[in-house]
Amino acid sequence: MLEAINETISYIKKETQLHPDTAIILGTGLGKIAEEIEAEVSIPYEKIPHFPVSTVQGHDGKMIIGKYAGKEVIVLKGRFHYYEGYSMQEVTFPIRALKFLGIKNLFISNAAGGMNPEFEIGDVMFINDHINLMPNPLIGKHFPEFGARFPDMSDVYNRILIEKALEVAARQQLNAHTGTYVGVTGPTLETPKEYEYIRIIGGDAVGMSTVPEAIIAHQMGMTIFAISVITDLGIPGKIEKLTHEMVQQAAEKVTPKLVKVIEEIIAGI
Ligand code: HPA
């Protein structure tokens, strides 16, 4: 694993003069945020040694290194999901590579279904906790280079950044909440009873990503800020037949306001 990471980062370092300490993962429908980056280099995932290749519509799979809000950043446009058939080690490989590239702050975004009755489509939720219903990405051989065998998970999502994001969202008139994200494998969306179950166990939003990335990043000591865009509702009476295109479109609509939130937070760190 370390050898693979070294090959990955030496390839990336040859492509850029910059030394970013912040990275952003763009989820479904949020790829347009990448247009805000003053790109120095854009590398398709196929070219990066050991990177898996994203297979999902709406995720076009590239690493963009450049400047955003006056800061040097790495943007991962498109991510890897467990439901695509990758192992959890493959899904989270880019996060470990980012850490070894010098990334300290990780911003994660996703599209998610909302179960909290106060949520509406187009709202955002700043994640303040998660429940993992996917296989744990740390199952398997332990590599002490990445951190503890039994990582503490009492404080994964940075509270200061959440407070700041709530302030910015209020100024942008963006409906923002905080809450618990429940990570599921997918690729099926939830049945009404599954939404109900996820709500009962404490979930505010549900989706098929983010949790493995956050676990791996937290084990390595990164500062994490994660945003769900609520693209559909898993609330009794409000559940509708859902397609991936609907998820994409709902996320795209929120992008302009979300860009402002991310920009201000990055400028402030
Ligand atoms: N469930 C799971 N994943 C999702 C959803 C959902 O309702 N919406 C967007 N991603």
Side-chain angles (χ1 to χ4, degrees):
M1 169 92 75
L2 277 175
E3 215 170 288
I5 289 176
N6 279 329
E7 284 171 18
T8 304
I9 68 172
S10 50
Y11 173 84
I12 296 166
K13 280 182 178 166
K14 276 192 220 126
E15 298 287 314
T16 180
Q17 308 292 319
L18 304 180
H19 300 282
D21 67 2
T22 300
I24 312 170
I25 303 173
L26 300 179
T28 304
L30 300 168
K32 281 217 171 74
I33 295 177
E35 289 169 12
E36 306 294 316
I37 314 298
E38 197 186 307
E40 186 206 35
V41 62
S42 173
I43 317 170
Y45 290 159
E46 305 89 87
K47 286 199 174 165
I48 305 176
H50 307 291
F51 254 53
V53 175
S54 177
T55 63
V56 189
Q57 193 192 338
H59 287 257
D60 71 359
K62 45 181 142 152
M63 174 183 282
I64 301 157
I65 306 173
K67 292 200 181 146
Y68 183 48
K71 292 261 166 23
E72 296 180 358
V73 295
I74 296 181
V75 172
L76 295 184
K77 190 170 183 224
R79 57 148 64 85
F80 308 103
H81 303 83
Y82 188 64
Y83 64 73
E84 293 175 82
Y86 300 117
S87 69
M88 276 296 178
Q89 279 67 34
E90 290 172 308
V91 166
T92 55
F93 180 83
I95 312 299
R96 287 185 165 148
L98 287 175
K99 171 72 182 179
F100 282 73
L101 276 170
I103 297 299
K104 297 192 173 73
N105 309 301
L106 183 65
F107 286 41
I108 310 177
S109 63
N110 62 57
M115 278 93 48
N116 184 320
E118 289 176 13
F119 290 8
E120 304 276 358
I121 292 174
D123 288 1
V124 300
M125 183 184 92
F126 304 126
I127 300 176
N128 62 14
D129 202 346
H130 73 229
I131 296 173
N132 184 21
L133 298 184
M134 304 164 102
N136 194 298
L138 291 174
I139 290 172
K141 182 171 160 48
H142 176 56
F143 296 93
E145 301 84 345
F146 298 130
R149 167 86 277 194
F150 302 105
D152 177 78
M153 296 295 286
S154 62
D155 192 20
V156 177
Y157 301 94
N158 188 277
R159 284 164 208 282
I160 297 166
L161 295 180
I162 293 173
E163 286 309 313
K164 175 127 199 241
L166 286 169
E167 276 172 41
V168 181
R171 252 188 283 128
Q172 293 296 326
Q173 299 186 326
L174 175 63
N175 269 348
H177 313 269
T178 56
T180 298
Y181 176 92
V182 179
V184 295
T185 64
T188 44
L189 294 152
E190 286 66 37
T191 65
K193 275 289 168 193
E194 285 169 341
Y195 281 125
E196 189 181 332
Y197 160 74
I198 296 167
R199 179 69 185 150
I200 288 169
I201 63 170
D204 295 293
V206 60
M208 307 173 196
S209 68
T210 301
V211 172
E213 298 156 352
I215 290 173
I216 292 296
H218 184 66
Q219 186 200 31
M220 298 186 297
M222 287 168 147
T223 298
I224 302 171
F225 175 68
I227 304 177
S228 290
V229 175
I230 305 302
T231 54
D232 53 276
L233 298 173
I235 299 168
K238 294 188 176 173
I239 298 172
E240 287 183 358
K241 267 201 197 307
L242 184 64
T243 62
H244 185 65
E245 288 70 28
M246 288 161 73
V247 169
Q248 261 175 274
Q249 282 168 13
E252 277 168 18
K253 267 200 190 161
V254 187
T255 301
K257 284 185 176 173
L258 199 55
V259 163
K260 296 274 181 244
V261 176
I262 297 178
E263 203 174 286
E264 279 205 40
I265 295 181
I266 288 189
I269 50 178

